[in-house]
Amino acid sequence: MDLVAGWMQALFAALLNMALAAAVGVAVLQTAVSSTATSVRLVGMARRACVLLGIGLAAYLCAGTVAMTETLITGLPAALWLVLTQSHFGAMIWVALTAWIMLMVATVSSAWQIRDGLFGVGLIGFALARAATGHAADQGFVSFSVLIHTAHVLAATAWAGSVGICVLLTSDWSHWQLQQRSALAHRLSEVATLALLVVVGSGLFNAARTLGHASNPWGSAYVWILLAKLCAVAIAAGLGARNRWYWLARLDRDQVVGAKGFRRVLLVEAGVLLVVLALAAKLGTTMPA
């Protein structure tokens, strides 16, 4: 049970975070893509992200149920129904399931286009469900804290997802037309900058809310995980600044070396942001100080 509560929940929460980030990344970048072929690739990525989101949700529900009820595998079906019908965690799973169905409908309705309105509502609903199954719900399930944490989840996944999706899209972008390459790079830079501001502001609020009354914060694993996450965010922000103020200017001058340098930094930033999402998942399943 300790393994499930300590690590399996965090593992599947990390899977949810990464799949949600990929879906949000598609949503925020698709308007910067003008090529039909690239748009089709984006739709395919969105579909795969949504399928992974559904698998992660089912696994997260099972791990959460085992952690909450300490049931054995033989008793899991009954325990699942009990959790889904008698707990707030279960209620939020229903919200997430509804949002996931909306996402799937939005991505399978066309071979080359996403139904933006339905997709956006689904993403917000899923982010709300993620936020309301974390520590923010301690202040109330319908509360300002949950609203702020929902903004935090959306901003973090927009940043990580846009960087990750851009890495996947740009494997051959040294051969793209300058206008297409520049539009995507600038869109990514704008999204990442705005997302960072929201992440920092909402993150400070979350930290103050969670640790404001802690008597011995340094003796808590929660604080050390939080510090590791903050260090990773700082590294990712530094890499993003390098791209924005150095490589982006060279890319805009139609230099192939600028495009290659921009993508190299993106690769490293994407790796760091995956670590951020994993640490965020572990933080959400760790008791605060």
Side-chain angles (χ1 to χ4, degrees):
M1 297 303 173
D2 290 341
L3 175 64
V4 173
W7 292 104
M8 295 302 289
Q9 270 190 294
L11 175 64
F12 295 131
L15 177 62
L16 282 177
N17 288 348
M18 293 173 190
L20 182 61
V24 176
V26 170
V28 297
L29 290 182
Q30 63 175 335
T31 56
V33 173
S34 56
S35 166
T36 302
T38 306
S39 297
V40 171
R41 287 179 64 192
L42 273 178
V43 173
M45 291 177 188
R47 288 185 183 132
R48 289 189 288 273
C50 290
V51 169
L52 191 60
L53 204 58
I55 294 171
L57 182 62
Y60 183 60
L61 169 61
C62 291
T65 297
V66 172
M68 291 169 65
T69 63
E70 298 185 354
T71 187
L72 299 176
I73 296 298
T74 54
L76 185 57
L80 283 172
W81 184 247
L82 180 66
V83 167
L84 284 170
T85 57
Q86 302 296 325
S87 70
H88 168 74
F89 177 81
M92 291 301 101
I93 292 294
W94 286 115
V95 172
L97 178 60
T98 302
W100 177 75
I101 292 172
M102 295 173 68
L103 292 171
M104 290 302 299
V105 170
T107 55
V108 302
S109 60
S110 171
W112 57 274
Q113 188 178 17
I114 296 172
R115 295 176 63 180
D116 295 340
L118 188 62
F119 196 69
V121 173
L123 290 176
I124 294 171
F126 207 100
L128 174 63
R130 290 288 297 125
T133 54
H135 301 305
D138 295 341
Q139 305 296 313
F141 304 137
V142 181
S143 64
F144 185 68
S145 295
V146 169
L147 179 63
I148 292 295
H149 195 49
T150 300
H152 186 78
V153 171
L154 284 171
T157 52
W159 182 13
S162 60
V163 170
I165 293 296
C166 194
V167 166
L168 296 176
L169 286 178
T170 57
S171 57
D172 62 343
W173 81 332
S174 58
H175 305 295
W176 290 15
Q177 294 181 5
L178 172 62
Q179 184 178 5
Q180 293 177 335
R181 198 165 58 207
S182 183
L184 181 60
H186 277 274
R187 176 63 172 171
L188 171 65
S189 182
E190 292 166 2
V191 168
T193 300
L194 178 60
L196 176 60
L197 294 174
V198 177
V199 164
V200 171
S202 57
L204 289 174
F205 176 87
N206 287 339
R209 172 184 52 78
T210 306
L211 301 174
H213 302 289
S215 57
N216 182 27
W218 301 110
S220 166
Y222 183 93
V223 170
W224 293 105
I225 297 170
L226 177 60
L227 288 175
K229 179 187 171 185
L230 291 175
C231 289
V233 167
I235 293 170
L239 291 166
R242 171 69 171 173
N243 256 351
R244 181 179 180 88
W245 301 113
Y246 181 75
W247 288 116
L248 186 57
R250 302 187 71 177
L251 184 152
D252 283 341
R253 292 198 295 269
D254 199 15
Q255 294 185 17
V256 173
V257 67
K260 290 180 178 178
F262 190 92
R263 188 171 188 275
R264 279 197 301 269
V265 174
L266 272 188
L267 281 167
V268 180
E269 186 180 355
V272 175
L273 287 171
L274 285 177
V275 173
V276 171
L277 293 178
L279 289 171
K282 180 59 178 172
L283 203 62
T285 56
T286 303
M287 289 300 295

